[in-house]
Amino acid sequence: MRTPSIMIAMLCLVMAVTACSSGSSNTTDKKNGAVSTSSNDAAKKAEQAAEGTAKTVDMVRVAGSDVGYPSPFAFSPSGPFGYLRNSLIFDTLTWKDDSGVIPWLAKSWEISTDGLTYTFKLEDGVKWHDGEAFTADDVVFSFNYYKTYPFNWNGDIAQIKSVEKIDDLTVVFHMNNSYAPMLSDLVGIVPIIPQHIWEQVTNPIEYRDEKALVGTGPYQLAEYDAAAGQYLFKANENFFKGQVIVKELAFVSASDKLLALQNGEIDAAYTTNYGDVQTMVDGGYKSIKSEPAGSIVRLSFNLEHPQLSDKRLRQALAYAMDRAEISSKVSGAEPMVGNAGVVPTDSPWYNKNVKQYEYNLQESERILDELGYVKNEKGIRDGLKLSLMTSSNKQDSIMIQEMLKKAGIELNLVHLDSAAFTVALGENKYDMVLSGHVGASGDPDFLRLWFSGKASNMWSARGKSLDLEQFHEIANLQMKEMDETKRHEYINQLQDILAEELPTLALYHRPFYHIHNPKVFDYWKNTYGGIADGMPLWENKVFLIDVKQ
Amino acid sequence: MSNNNKYWSYFLVLLFVIILNFWLPRFLPGGPVEYIAGGGEEGAVFLTEAQKAAMLEYYNLNDSLGEQFVKYVKGIFTFDFGLSISHKAPVFDVIMERLPWTLLIVGLATLFSIVIGLLLGLYSAWRHPSRVDRSLFLSMLCLSSIPEFLLGMILLITCAVKLKWFPLSGAKTAFLRSDGWLASVLDIANHAVLPALTLTIGSVASLYLLMRNESIRVKQESFIEFSSAKGIGPRAIVMKHIARNAALPLVTLIIIRMSGLLAGSILVETVFAYPGVGKLLQEAILGRDYPLLHGLFLLMTLFVLLLNLFADLIYPRLDPRIRHDVNRGEVA
């Protein structure tokens, strides 16, 4: 009796969610210059079906730690969790679910043909947590406020020229140039804050009044223990997007997440260790693999290094590494070898025809000999001594060292802690760098960002020195291209260039796994392209809500 | 004169620590912004140069080191260390939120290690030489050689993971729904057992060893023999004569141990994920949170210095011989 009712509820949820997202996908296939989104009939039916059958859950406890006070200015920007806590309280114009971008505070939008103007129709009757009405003024105010006091997370506000209020429920965004990732990576990330509260605040980072947490979101912060890193969120009963299924959402710090799950102290956690997943699944827990994988482990070459500046050497190194072996040994799961063109192989933007570097020791040795790095009597190429710097991927680096030894290359490993690592990156003090991070599964604009030299952190690995006019030109073209097919072509070309030049070598992708107790809550799902700017995680508010429309 | 000298030396130590406190964290490679940019496995912010500059500006990290130092010194006198970079809240508040937890486990550990160490030491000395004394002595020697973090892990694995007697980590159950205060007190006590026990075991041995040796020494003094000859019972001899006379050097040791316990709390809190200042310090070092590091180091230094000062002041009152020495010195 119980299982079928859950099944029905789930089905309704899926229907509702897919229905409303099919509405949003209308925006992309524009025909007569501008196309608007609206919820269709199927969605309404799904909504009616969903109502009444949705089963509420009293409390779900998720493993977490202290990621700061969840106001848009005070959450911790190291790692995605600060942003995710904040996203429970504050809403954005668009959001993402398992099928892609969906309407959120904006119920529909129109895009001009040149991609320079976005007109958003806002949801009617949305109330802030303190009872005030949400209007277009708040949207205009938010984007202006962030110009003075930057938002704590990604979202390139500089792309917006101005935001204009048409009436209480309509806003127009004027862009500096057309910007393809606008819906997913800009208005889908930057939260709207209430004007009536923040207009008086001049020190937003230190602002700790309870008004700092007045949003429109599905949750309100009920308790926060900074010392222990615990959060308790209570459902907002008047949430505009539908009924909140999980009435209380707690984030509980656990020193060992698996043990805490087994002891019933928490109901969900994530891991990157496949062995843990197997143990837990055998114990009756359910697991979800992040799709797309989301994280990337990659090697970046210092292109200013006298030897590594030769792309043939970089290619020889690529041939010498058995990346499938590293992948399967480290993650314990099916290997997922990186694409030489960087975009993960499970991404819709992946170019299948890109040059790849299969493990081929002979080929590697041939190139190395050709380059004049001759082996001595001990089988070591004297002229080639390289170092590999890493901060968190120690295991991988040791395997790489062993593999390169077979090709006669001596590798010196340098392990640094996170801060020291970033400094060395910034000062270009390395030969090769091994880093693992997320961000490769969202909008493909990341290719431009990584290699544009604008970033100051490990995402870029100082791609500044990627001295290729052609790459940067295409990278800018794809950013401004509003036509999806044309954009695909550009992205394909970018991958070709990257695969040939190899400024970075994607070793493999390491999926994250979500483990949860299905008896407590079983609606967890992957988000299309990752939450916000591609977080391969599951704390997406949309799955905690019985979405209307 | 000598008293003045003593205060001077305290002052110099404090001054030295204040200076070191500023420079030491800055000798570590990388600063707070780099830590934020690093982000770790789950991802980092895509930090542009402009955002980085804004952050440096906001936390006054782009001022010259001289300016930063002046600000820091001013901050010490006004008790305002600025804003913690990783917590985005005043350093004072951040520390105050965690200090009670550390005081709880350090306080418990101090209390228990004193009571247990002294009683066992006395008992051991009383039974000296015998098999009981010997085995106690040896087992205490063994205990004192185990580092605290190892001890903590052993206790964690046996008592929390295998036997499930105590919780794995934290200082209290998250969002405990209970009716009375008793339940929450029990909950907190339950969480404090393992960390406090680890600290107690780590420090009980040295107290025991000193107490035992002192008592054995006192026991061999002639006045003990005399009181024994007077017909005073063994219990009275131990409690009234031996314990009292042996306790003197212990005062100093106890105070030194208290500062040791505070240092030990850094390791123990990390093992048990206990939200005290020790764990905070560890996080602050990793995050290169300069203002927070200043606050924490200063707090710990002051704690140790004040304890030492207290020992210096109280000792002459407990031991008249020292008081006399000092007086004689002043006259001469």
Side-chain angles (χ1 to χ4, degrees), chain A residues 261-520:
Chain A
L261 260 175
Q262 281 165 343
N263 289 359
E265 289 167 27
I266 53 174
D267 310 313
Y270 85 92
T271 177
T272 52
N273 186 328
Y274 187 64
D276 289 351
V277 176
Q278 284 171 313
T279 323
M280 296 306 286
V281 169
D282 291 344
Y285 293 83
K286 274 200 192 170
S287 92
I288 308 174
K289 180 178 154 190
S290 62
E291 259 164 23
S295 93
I296 178 171
V297 177
R298 66 187 180 119
L299 209 57
S300 302
F301 301 101
N302 185 346
L303 301 178
E304 283 164 16
H305 186 272
Q307 292 169 314
L308 286 168
S309 55
D310 188 337
K311 75 175 175 194
R312 285 174 299 166
L313 175 58
R314 303 199 291 269
Q315 293 174 345
L317 291 171
Y319 280 122
M321 282 177 239
D322 188 352
R323 290 176 283 154
E325 169 93 2
I326 304 177
S327 170
S328 62
K329 281 250 170 75
V330 174
S331 61
E334 275 293 294
M336 188 176 166
V337 177
N339 165 18
V342 181
V343 173
T345 46
D346 60 357
S347 160
W349 298 92
Y350 166 57
N351 176 2
K352 288 183 193 67
N353 307 318
V354 144
K355 176 178 181 181
Q356 297 295 347
Y357 300 85
E358 297 270 318
Y359 176 52
N360 186 341
L361 199 54
Q362 283 91 14
E363 178 64 10
S364 171
E365 301 226 47
R366 191 188 63 76
I367 303 175
L368 288 169
D369 289 337
E370 206 177 275
L371 289 171
Y373 301 114
V374 193
K375 277 189 177 174
N376 65 11
E377 65 278 3
K378 283 179 198 150
I380 294 165
R381 299 177 196 274
D382 287 321
L384 196 56
K385 284 217 167 71
L386 297 170
S387 74
L388 175 62
M389 183 176 88
T390 182
S391 110
S392 56
N393 302 68
K394 200 168 172 181
Q395 212 187 343
D396 314 67
S397 67
I398 293 169
M399 292 177 74
I400 292 173
Q401 189 184 35
E402 287 304 313
M403 284 172 182
L404 291 188
K405 203 185 266 172
K406 282 188 201 152
I409 302 167
E410 253 187 292
L411 200 61
N412 179 31
L413 299 183
V414 184
H415 295 295
L416 296 174
D417 83 344
S418 173
F421 178 81
T422 318
V423 167
L425 267 186
E427 294 172 348
N428 245 2
K429 282 185 188 155
Y430 63 93
D431 299 347
M432 296 191 281
V433 162
L434 184 65
S435 57
H437 56 87
V438 299
S441 51
D443 189 276
D445 194 40
F446 74 84
L447 291 177
R448 178 183 67 91
L449 294 169
W450 285 10
F451 301 104
S452 69
K454 278 192 194 136
S456 69
N457 62 343
M458 64 189 248
W459 280 28
S460 68
R462 301 328 255 184
K464 233 173 219 161
S465 25
L466 182 66
D467 198 13
L468 284 171
E469 272 307 306
Q470 201 200 353
F471 179 89
H472 297 302
E473 247 170 57
I474 303 174
N476 277 321
L477 284 176
Q478 66 76 25
M479 177 188 89
K480 295 177 185 166
E481 184 53 65
M482 303 300 287
D483 184 285
E484 192 126 349
T485 2
K486 278 196 196 146
R487 194 160 181 232
H488 255 288
E489 254 162 55
Y490 287 135
I491 301 290
N492 286 349
Q493 288 173 28
L494 289 182
Q495 294 180 57
D496 278 327
I497 298 175
L498 289 173
E500 178 58 31
E501 296 294 327
L502 280 188
T504 189
L505 175 67
L507 296 179
Y508 61 93
H509 302 284
R510 189 174 183 181
F512 286 53
Y513 299 91
H514 187 248
I515 308 175
H516 63 271
N517 185 346
K519 284 175 207 137
V520 178

Side-chain angles (χ1 to χ4, degrees), chain A residues 206 208 270 417 456-457, chain B residues 42 45-47 58 88 288:
Chain A
E206 291 143 79
R208 288 289 186 282
Y270 85 92
D417 83 344
S456 69
N457 62 343
Chain B
E42 296 97 27
V45 216
F46 187 87
L47 207 63
Y58 186 82
K88 300 192 175 177
R288 309 285 195 273

Side-chain angles (χ1 to χ4, degrees), chain A residues 74 77 79 152 154 206 208 223 226-227 231-232 248 255 270 417 422-423 438 449 454-459, chain B residues 30 34 37-38 41-49 52 58 83 87-88 97-98 164 169 172 175 177 275 288:
Chain A
N152 217 357
N154 306 333
E206 291 143 79
R208 288 289 186 282
E223 261 180 75
Y231 297 76
L232 181 66
E248 281 184 303
S255 53
Y270 85 92
D417 83 344
T422 318
V423 167
V438 299
L449 294 169
K454 278 192 194 136
S456 69
N457 62 343
M458 64 189 248
W459 280 28
Chain B
E34 280 77 17
E41 177 116 22
E42 296 97 27
V45 216
F46 187 87
L47 207 63
T48 62
E49 295 287 355
K52 187 176 168 180
Y58 186 82
L83 221 52
H87 297 271
K88 300 192 175 177
E97 211 165 342
R98 284 145 179 97
K164 295 188 182 170
S169 61
K172 56 181 183 188
F175 319 119
R177 302 279 149 86
R288 309 285 195 273

Side-chain angles (χ1 to χ4, degrees), chain A residues 169-182:
Chain A
L169 295 174
T170 317
V171 271
V172 174
F173 282 64
H174 300 285
M175 312 297 289
N176 286 320
N177 46 261
S178 54
Y179 180 61
M182 165 78 174

